[in-house]
Amino acid sequence: MTHQPQSLLVTGGAGFIGANFVHYWIQRYPAHRVTVLDALTYAGNIENLASLREQPHFRFVHGDIRDFDTIAQALRDAAVDTIVHFAAESHVDRSIHGPDAFIDANVLGTHTLLKAAKAVWLDRDNRAVHRFHHVSTDEVYGTLGPEDPPFEETTPYAPNSPYAASKAASDHLVRAYHHTYGLNTTTSNCSNNYGPYHFPEKLIPLLIVNMLAGKPLPVYGDGQQVRDWLHVEDHCRGIDRVIRHGNAGETYNIGGNNERPNMEIVTLLCGLMDDVFRHTPALGERFPQAPPTEGRSCAELITHVTDRPGHDRRYAINAQKAMQALGYRPEITFEDGLQQTLAWYLENETWWRRVMAGSYRDWVDLHYRDQTSPEATR
Ligand code: NAD
Ligand code: DAU
């Protein structure tokens, strides 16, 4: 049966995918109410939503998913019928240095959100029409060998990093709230996203900003780890389909059918950056440290560094279920998507300079001050 949302609560809507999703949704469904609830951690930027301030149906709540009362009130205030749950600690490297924050936000936070949804939708409103969509990751399935078939929804969970384990735990809680209490849940497990508003601690935006600053491009280990890259807008389209057409209690894999070794990404981006400088000489004045300013290639910045502990070798997604049952299809080719993303970072220098200042810098200093590890290059 089709679910028809009218009023959404988007947790983590000031982060990378959440913000893209909010823009996508408001553009596509301008009559719907959208409430964003976000704690504005280092990864959340209210600026990502600034252009929506005047939208009549948009509201921002500065709050934490571990705060039951705040969530329950937000659900009641806007008569929310659909939760889209993005809020999480999302960076694998950070989970290796400080797992506690991941358990707090991803496990306890998701559980508090589930409890509030149950209290308002099932207990108070006597099973009002609702949907709880949980945004998860392919990392819960663990790692693949070169010849293994891609992850399916039935692949056993085998999370390897504290981040992946915390997401796996949250997926199980969502499942349990459906099975035990009848909460109308769906879960999507997606592969690596890229696109606008991506925090420059993750591979693609980090490479872009380091090239512009003439800093080393840190490649973990041999750089032959494989990820399946998907443009964030395609992920949003997939989530839209799951929310409206997915079956309660089901999980859906979302991916780009676009497996690439990390070294290929690095080389591709270096080529794109060299080209863009060649065709736009004015960039040389803005970014004097970038190698192409002096006619050299960004590839000279590539630096192999110590590998990430427990680094998963390969992820790959089988998205047949979402394709067949929901009509999901990625629409943006990797080449177009990467070019658009690079153009976005060149146009939004103020954005990335600002998000990289402050607490993010403190974190890098704390953990990587004396090391010749990738973070030390930032
Ligand atoms: P992000 O780190 O960019 O954003 C996370 C957002 O959640 C931030 O706005 C942050 O302020 C907010 N947040 C964190 N803890 C919170 C709390 N306790 N209460 C309220 N808000 C809180 O993350 P992202 O890359 O946009 O990922 C969003 C979701 O998608 C996550 O659940 C992640 O596991 C999942 N996911 C990400 C990818 C990817 O490639 N980035 C792929 C698949 C799934
Ligand atoms: O697969 C989905 C996951 O993708 C999401 O659940 C996570 O939230 C998201 O952060 C992402 O995790 P990854 O660990 O795959 O993304 P990251 O950008 O950190 O790294 C991508 C690959 O690049 C990975 O193999 C590690 C490598 N890498 C990363 C960084 C930051 C480097 O070689 N150098 C780097 O400096």
Side-chain angles (χ1 to χ4, degrees), residues 90 137-139 163 192 203 206 218 220 227 262 308 311:
S90 69
T137 171
D138 59 1
E139 301 206 8
Y163 161 70
N192 283 63
L203 181 67
L206 172 70
Y220 294 170
R227 298 290 182 267
N262 293 339
R308 174 186 277 174
H311 198 172

Side-chain angles (χ1 to χ4, degrees), residues 324-344:
Q324 279 159 15
L326 312 174
Y328 159 75
R329 295 257 173 299
E331 292 178 12
I332 301 175
T333 65
F334 192 52
E335 286 67 23
D336 287 352
L338 262 194
Q339 266 178 13
Q340 285 170 22
T341 302
L342 177 53
W344 189 89

